[in-house]
Amino acid sequence: MNTTPAQRLSRSQVTAIVVEAIKDSNELRSPDSQLSENEDAQLFGGEGRLDSMGLVALLMDIEELLLDAGADVSLSSEDAMSRSQSPYRDIRSLVDYIQSLCGSPE
């Protein structure tokens, strides 16, 4: 995907967007099902708290926040779903994945 310089976001900007979406999601979740904001905490699969519907909702929220920041990307793709290491497993891997889609600097 080609991006314009306005769409390039730093790692800290992408991380802030993902954490903001998680905080928004947590407002709708019961206290015992809250998502951690720690980069290593599992989001999906294994010990993750998100089921497939929860993951889709979170990805849509992140896409909207990215669009507001000038990056028009689609986070759910066949490529992402078929990877041996899911980009959705934790915040760190999700941020890495978003940066790869945006061509963002580290």
Side-chain angles (χ1 to χ4, degrees):
M1 165 182 239
N2 292 332
T3 59
T4 63
Q7 293 174 313
R8 294 178 186 263
L9 302 172
S10 70
R11 181 173 188 80
S12 62
Q13 289 173 304
V14 173
T15 300
I17 287 169
V18 171
V19 169
E20 182 179 347
I22 288 172
K23 286 179 179 179
D24 291 346
S25 174
N26 280 340
E27 290 180 11
L28 304 173
R29 301 171 82 69
S30 65
D32 62 330
S33 66
Q34 298 280 304
L35 301 173
S36 173
E37 297 167 23
N38 179 319
E39 280 199 9
D40 296 319
Q42 292 284 313
L43 292 174
F44 182 71
E47 301 287 319
R49 294 186 177 249
L50 293 174
D51 59 14
S52 58
M53 293 300 290
L55 176 64
V56 169
L58 179 64
L59 294 179
M60 289 173 49
D61 291 344
I62 293 170
E63 286 173 356
E64 186 175 313
L65 292 170
L66 287 167
L67 188 59
D68 290 346
D72 186 10
V73 297
S74 176
L75 299 179
S76 54
S77 70
E78 189 65 35
D79 172 60
M81 297 292 188
S82 65
R83 291 182 180 193
S84 61
Q85 287 277 335
S86 171
Y88 312 126
R89 66 186 178 279
D90 53 40
I91 294 174
R92 176 172 290 136
S93 61
L94 183 54
V95 169
D96 290 343
Y97 178 60
I98 293 167
Q99 285 196 286
S100 74
L101 294 175
C102 293
S104 298
E106 289 298 315

